[in-house]
Amino acid sequence: MTAKDCGQHGECCERRKRNRRIFGCILATIIVILLIILIVWLALRPTKPRFYLQDAVVLQFNYTGPPSNLLSTVIQVTLSSRNPNDRVGIYYDRLDVYAAYKYQQISVASALPPMYQGHNDIDVWSPYLYGPDVPVAPYLCDPLTQDESSGFLLLHVKIDGRIRWKVGSWISGHYHLFVSCPAFLTFQNGRSGSGATVKFQQMSSCSVEV
């Protein structure tokens, strides 16, 4: 091996060592940043938002019965949400509200506008939920007929959405939000129909999963 070859080999070794040191510094910096984010996250660990069903008015509830088994509904609900965190804000990027009867969705999902909820803030929505001629699953026909005849009805107002947490200037990735609010309704005239008005005016606490 000539002196020139040895010199070139030495330069290559030095370049590799320098590249390794640079890579090691970058990797160490990334690890430190991730550790800081993890420590801050654990220290401020956000509490999931709290939802309440404040009011529900069923303006239409028509069930045709066999053989068509179609259900038409018009429901206005009032929902409130509270952010219980002192230092964590919440971005509601998507909130879809719909009504369900015994796990079957009976209304079209109503989209609420995206919004930001600050520390300890409370927000209220009052969307209309429409379900025109929704086919009822066969196994629900008898329970629905019985509930309709008795004048008592248990529905669930549900929210399916996507949220992000905000801590200072840092914003998290998306998290799935699922909310379920029970609404025990009584028909005022003892029966359902296009003229029947059903009111639910007792605030109900909702289950929240994030």
Side-chain angles (χ1 to χ4, degrees):
M1 180 182 293
T2 65
K4 183 178 179 180
D5 293 335
C6 291
Q8 291 179 347
H9 180 71
E11 290 178 2
C12 290
C13 290
E14 287 297 327
R15 190 180 302 114
R16 288 174 184 171
K17 290 180 180 179
R18 186 167 56 252
N19 290 340
R20 287 173 184 170
R21 285 195 294 268
I22 294 174
F23 177 76
C25 290
I26 295 175
L27 182 60
T29 302
I30 293 175
I31 292 175
V32 170
I33 293 174
L34 292 176
L35 284 175
I36 292 174
I37 293 175
L38 178 61
I39 292 172
V40 172
W41 178 262
L42 292 176
L44 300 176
R45 184 175 300 177
T47 301
K48 58 189 177 183
R50 295 169 185 166
F51 281 80
Y52 302 91
L53 177 63
Q54 295 185 340
D55 183 72
V57 179
V58 181
L59 303 175
Q60 180 183 1
F61 194 89
N62 285 332
Y63 175 54
T64 61
S68 58
N69 293 325
L70 298 177
L71 176 64
S72 296
T73 57
V74 179
I75 308 171
Q76 184 183 21
V77 299
T78 301
L79 295 158
S80 65
S81 170
R82 177 178 178 271
N83 177 8
N85 297 285
D86 294 326
R87 300 175 182 174
V88 181
I90 304 174
Y91 282 103
Y92 293 99
D93 293 328
R94 178 176 65 83
L95 291 174
D96 294 329
V97 186
Y98 61 92
Y101 175 75
K102 295 186 184 296
Y103 305 105
Q104 179 181 341
Q105 183 174 337
I106 61 171
S107 75
V108 178
S110 177
L112 301 179
M115 57 161 289
Y116 172 76
Q117 188 174 53
H119 315 150
N120 296 304
D121 281 356
I122 298 175
D123 292 278
V124 179
W125 305 274
S126 295
Y128 281 88
L129 309 179
Y130 298 93
D133 294 331
V134 176
V136 177
Y139 72 93
L140 291 178
C141 295
D142 289 341
L144 183 57
T145 301
Q146 294 171 4
D147 291 344
E148 189 180 31
S149 300
S150 66
F152 298 96
L153 189 68
L154 176 62
L155 297 180
H156 282 82
V157 178
K158 299 190 176 186
I159 303 175
D160 184 85
R162 302 270 285 178
I163 65 172
R164 290 176 295 161
W165 308 104
K166 184 177 184 295
V167 182
S169 60
W170 178 78
I171 300 175
S172 74
H174 282 99
Y175 287 79
H176 181 250
L177 173 73
F178 185 75
V179 181
S180 182
C181 309
F184 187 72
L185 305 169
T186 304
F187 292 99
Q188 290 183 341
N189 57 4
R191 62 177 180 82
S192 65
S194 59
T197 301
V198 186
K199 288 189 176 182
F200 169 86
Q201 293 179 323
Q202 183 179 359
M203 183 179 292
S204 172
S205 180
C206 308
S207 64
V208 181
E209 298 179 11
V210 177

